[in-house]
Amino acid sequence: MTLAKMMRCMTAGLILAILAIGLLPFLLVYFLTDVSGLSDFDTTPIYTLVNKFIGGGK
């Protein structure tokens, strides 16, 4: 692995990590409002699909 390829991988990983950490508070607030029943909007299809796989929507 060349130094340039290693730097590209590190840069891409760092950008993704910063993006994930930046979105974490918003996702936490969304999760808490959904769990407590305060949200007035329907859940996303991704959330419904994950619930189906983990057995949450029985």
Side-chain angles (χ1 to χ4, degrees), residues 31-46:
F31 174 72
L32 290 176
T33 57
D34 192 42
V35 167
S36 65
L38 296 175
S39 61
D40 294 335
F41 50 89
D42 293 334
T43 57
T44 61
I46 295 171

Side-chain angles (χ1 to χ4, degrees), residues 13-43:
L14 187 62
I15 289 171
L16 287 175
I18 290 171
L19 180 67
I21 291 171
L23 288 177
L24 191 61
F26 297 104
L27 293 174
L28 182 64
V29 168
Y30 173 76
F31 174 72
L32 290 176
T33 57
D34 192 42
V35 167
S36 65
L38 296 175
S39 61
D40 294 335
F41 50 89
D42 293 334
T43 57

